[in-house]
Amino acid sequence: MRPPTPLPFLPLLLLLLLLPSPPAAAAGGADGWEAIGAAAAAGGGRRRVASPEGQEAAAAGFYHRSQEMNTVDGDPRWCCTYLLDPSDALFIDVGQAFIRQQMKEYGDITNIYNCDTFNENTPPTNEPAYISSLGSAIYEAMSRGNKDAVWLMQGWLFYSDAAFWKEPQMKALLHSVPTGKMIVLDLFADVKPIWQMSSQFYGVPYIWCMLHNFGGNIEMYGILDSIASGPIDARTSHNSTMVGVGMCMEGIEHNPVVYELMSEMAFRSQKVEVEDWLKIYSYRRYGQSNVEVEKAWGILYHTIYNCTDGIADHNKDYIVEFPDISPNSFSSDVSKRKAISEVKKHRRFVLSEVSASLPHPHLWYSTKEAIKALELFLNAGNDLSKTSDDNFLLGPWLEDAKSLARTENERKQYEWNARTQVTMWYDNTKTEQSKLHDYANKFWSGLLKSYYLPRASKYFSRLTKGLQENQSFQLEEWRKDWIAYSNEWQSGKELYAVKATGDALAISSSLFKKYFS
Ligand SMILES: *[C@@H]1O[C@H](CO)[C@@H](O)[C@H](O)[C@H]1NC(C)=O
Ligand SMILES: *[C@@H]1O[C@H](CO)[C@@H](O)[C@H](O)[C@H]1NC(C)=O
Ligand SMILES: *[C@@H]1O[C@H](CO)[C@@H](O)[C@H](O)[C@H]1NC(C)=O
């Protein structure tokens, strides 16, 4: 069974506010990138080795390959990153040369260097002295390349690998650099702030970040209260070392209310009264005040925009992330869920998780409601193609990717990449799908009808057939079937609309009439 919470990748975009602007640093002369590679490959004893085999052997002591968790069969073509060993004396030479070369290539544009050696990658030992020596080697390399270097590090590791990063390990890493020369991003502070449980990162400056979104999934989600007060609490707390606010979402162009509020927080010194703020927001958004609209925002504020269930904004809806399990394995979970839905019978859904082993959506509907929804989905037909907004189309995503290509081969490759990224990712076998399948799922017109719908139809045909023939579900056969189908879709070339043509009001009214009245 899949891990309950897949881990996020490096955030795509980071906005840093309130930081002092970096002073100019002297440009350094640099060796070429090839020289850096050669130095790295020459390995620990500063030997120059001529043959590639020799280089490989000499380098063996100088790096190790990280263990990657998100791989099916560990194919080294796309997994298991090489890590230079920071305890080797040559590490500093290589790091310095790297930074000098970067300056040569891009100019003297920054003093801030991002480095995440241990992001989703556990150090070989939890010995604080060792961790501290690694940290100082990294900083040493940076500061030799640029004397004003500041190390910017994501604090995600302290959350995702909390079992490893206890107080002694955290202190060892955070204090391995002179005070003020490291800034930590409290990456997921909107949901799991680390500053509180680490005495303000043990005195190290940090930036309060909202992560909010994983994989660029599209679902209504947010915790407005936490954004409206979190950065202020952090800033005004005792011994605060908070120096800024940031956003590090894995995708944007969804939930604009969340991003609007968060952007304002950089300029506010007091908590925001969300109820009042939403009235102003809705006025700005729609160009006039309207009592009914304000009421609607009130409802959203207390429900979907108060998602305090602790589940990340990672869409586990069964339409876009199919449960890769046999229905026979559901039974105990289903009974738990049933108990909850019995308790809250009068409500359409509950905003809480009830099972540890299944993918977690934010809203649990009763089994009856879920079955009805799946049925509607399978029968929705052309309703799935109705669109009124270009931001919800597959077409532009694919066309943008293709337009970057300079050759026919690149065009093919980029389209495949774009299709693979929003569906199964890669690294699958015939019967085992990628561990990251559906990580970047999207409720997009185009994808719904051409990918999600056939997948769901295949699944339910198999289920129905099994029930009719009194056969247990053939999980392996199903996997073979749909993995092959995914691979085929990923290599497809069919075109999708790049412009939405429908009218939002007309579509919503017709859907409302059809499904709710
Ligand atoms: C603030 O720092 C002082 C001095 O290090 C310490 O004694 C005190 O406990 C800290 N206060 C809080 C609330 O952490
Ligand atoms: C959000 O949920 C929390 C916990 O369930 C609750 O304490 C709080 O009052 C809610 N806030 C809003 C705005 O509904
Ligand atoms: C279905 O199969 C099960 C076990 O394989 C058996 O106990 C049951 O009697 C069968 N039901 C029917 C209607 O054939």
Side-chain angles (χ1 to χ4, degrees):
M1 200 165 293
R2 54 175 304 107
T5 314
L7 301 160
F9 285 78
L10 296 182
L12 298 180
L13 177 59
L14 177 75
L15 305 175
L16 300 177
L17 300 163
L18 303 182
L19 285 171
S21 54
D31 299 324
W33 293 111
E34 299 79 10
I36 296 170
R46 290 170 190 259
R47 287 152 293 169
R48 294 273 166 187
V49 184
S51 73
E53 300 79 17
Q55 286 192 0
E56 183 79 17
F62 189 41
Y63 57 69
H64 76 276
R65 289 195 98 158
S66 69
Q67 304 159 342
E68 287 266 350
M69 40 193 131
N70 292 316
T71 173
V72 171
D73 59 2
D75 188 323
R77 281 179 298 168
W78 46 73
C79 98
C80 314
T81 319
Y82 286 109
L83 268 185
L84 298 181
D85 177 1
S87 67
D88 191 291
L90 199 53
F91 181 88
I92 291 168
D93 292 358
V94 174
Q96 176 182 14
F98 186 89
I99 283 180
R100 292 260 166 90
Q101 182 63 19
Q102 207 173 30
M103 284 179 172
K104 202 168 146 191
E105 189 109 0
Y106 299 110
D108 179 17
I109 51 167
T110 185
N111 295 326
I112 303 210
Y113 296 94
N114 178 233
C115 180
D116 291 302
T117 313
F118 301 122
N119 191 64
E120 298 186 12
N121 176 30
T122 311
T125 152
N126 67 1
E127 190 48 56
Y130 179 77
I131 293 170
S132 175
S133 73
L134 296 193
S136 54
I138 292 167
Y139 175 70
E140 182 69 22
M142 276 178 197
S143 58
R144 285 226 207 138
N146 174 349
K147 67 178 172 40
D148 298 314
V150 172
W151 176 357
L152 185 75
M153 187 183 78
Q154 298 183 75
W156 178 254
L157 71 174
F158 302 135
Y159 163 73
S160 73
D161 205 359
F164 177 91
W165 294 98
K166 304 286 188 216
E167 183 171 339
Q169 289 76 27
M170 281 179 81
K171 277 187 172 161
L173 183 58
L174 294 165
H175 293 164
S176 65
V177 170
T179 311
K181 294 296 188 179
M182 175 188 267
I183 298 174
V184 183
L185 304 176
D186 199 357
L187 212 70
F188 200 18
D190 47 330
V191 176
K192 305 270 176 183
I194 302 293
W195 67 268
Q196 284 168 332
M197 37 82 45
S198 65
S199 311
Q200 314 268 353
F201 291 95
Y202 306 108
V204 168
Y206 73 95
I207 293 175
W208 194 102
C209 292
M210 177 186 86
L211 207 170
H212 185 261
N213 179 270
F214 292 82
N217 293 169
I218 300 169
E219 62 178 349
M220 288 175 82
Y221 166 90
I223 317 172
L224 296 183
D225 278 349
S226 132
I227 300 164
S229 62
I232 309 297
D233 286 340
R235 183 76 172 165
T236 56
S237 60
H238 246 283
N239 298 340
S240 176
T241 58
M242 190 259 225
V243 295
V245 296
M247 291 195 258
C248 48
M249 56 281 174
E250 290 188 341
I252 196 167
E253 288 156 359
H254 49 75
N255 298 286
V257 66
V258 172
Y259 292 85
E260 184 111 358
L261 180 57
M262 186 63 219
S263 306
E264 281 188 21
M265 293 316 291
F267 305 95
R268 290 188 177 269
S269 48
Q270 312 227 309
K271 293 182 187 181
V272 174
E273 284 302 328
V274 179
E275 202 98 48
D276 298 338
W277 181 86
L278 278 171
K279 291 196 180 117
I280 306 165
Y281 171 76
S282 106
Y283 176 82
R284 288 200 307 255
R285 187 165 169 85
Y286 309 113
Q288 52 181 286
S289 21
N290 178 309
V291 175
E292 295 305 318
V293 170
E294 284 171 11
K295 271 197 226 157
W297 274 108
I299 295 170
L300 294 175
Y301 171 41
H302 291 291
T303 53
I304 206 77
Y305 288 122
N306 187 40
C307 245
T308 51
D309 54 15
I311 304 171
D313 177 20
H314 206 183
N315 197 345
K316 302 293 177 188
D317 188 298
Y318 281 1
I319 290 170
V320 292
E321 172 155 352
F322 225 69
D324 181 38
I325 43 182
S326 158
N328 308 340
S329 64
F330 271 80
S331 48
S332 61
D333 293 316
V334 169
S335 60
K336 262 188 262 167
R337 224 183 318 166
K338 208 167 159 194
I340 287 268
S341 64
E342 226 90 280
V343 174
K344 315 218 168 174
K345 229 176 208 154
H346 57 290
R347 290 170 58 176
R348 286 181 58 82
F349 56 81
V350 285
L351 257 172
S352 69
E353 120 209 28
V354 293
S355 155
S357 62
L358 290 174
H360 296 168
H362 290 287
L363 304 180
W364 282 101
Y365 289 84
S366 68
T367 305
K368 207 170 131 205
E369 297 255 15
I371 290 171
K372 170 125 186 283
L374 285 169
E375 210 177 304
L376 291 175
F377 173 58
L378 294 177
N379 296 327
N382 285 334
D383 286 347
L384 292 177
S385 322
K386 289 181 176 161
T387 56
S388 61
D389 190 327
D390 297 348
N391 290 308
F392 296 93
L393 294 179
L394 170 64
W397 172 256
L398 299 182
E399 294 311 313
D400 284 354
K402 286 189 266 182
S403 72
L404 293 171
R406 287 162 306 180
T407 65
E408 201 37 51
N409 270 347
E410 276 184 5
R411 206 177 149 80
K412 223 168 114 181
Q413 179 69 45
Y414 292 175
E415 176 162 20
W416 183 89
N417 286 351
R419 283 169 176 255
T420 300
Q421 204 262 350
V422 295
T423 55
M424 198 173 52
W425 289 63
Y426 204 53
D427 193 15
N428 57 276
T429 66
K430 277 192 167 55
T431 53
E432 204 176 340
Q433 63 184 324
S434 162
K435 294 217 164 105
L436 291 168
H437 74 94
D438 297 307
Y439 185 91
N441 65 57
K442 305 275 188 292
F443 270 118
W444 273 347
S445 177
L447 213 46
L448 274 167
K449 201 172 169 188
S450 82
Y451 185 73
Y452 297 130
L453 179 61
R455 185 167 83 176
S457 304
K458 273 174 194 293
Y459 186 71
F460 286 105
S461 319
R462 276 185 177 274
L463 278 184
T464 314
K465 193 161 171 275
L467 284 173
Q468 280 162 354
E469 295 170 4
N470 197 22
Q471 296 282 324
S472 62
F473 188 76
Q474 304 295 308
L475 186 59
E476 187 128 325
E477 290 305 305
W478 149 248
R479 283 179 176 159
K480 264 189 212 157
D481 192 9
W482 99 256
I483 291 172
Y485 170 76
S486 281
N487 284 329
E488 194 188 327
W489 189 87
Q490 286 165 194
S491 318
K493 288 210 167 30
E494 70 285 1
L495 299 174
Y496 293 91
V498 291
K499 277 277 154 214
T501 49
D503 172 74
L505 186 59
I507 293 173
S508 337
S509 318
S510 80
L511 294 180
F512 186 81
K513 252 187 223 130
K514 183 167 170 189
Y515 295 110
F516 290 99
S517 54

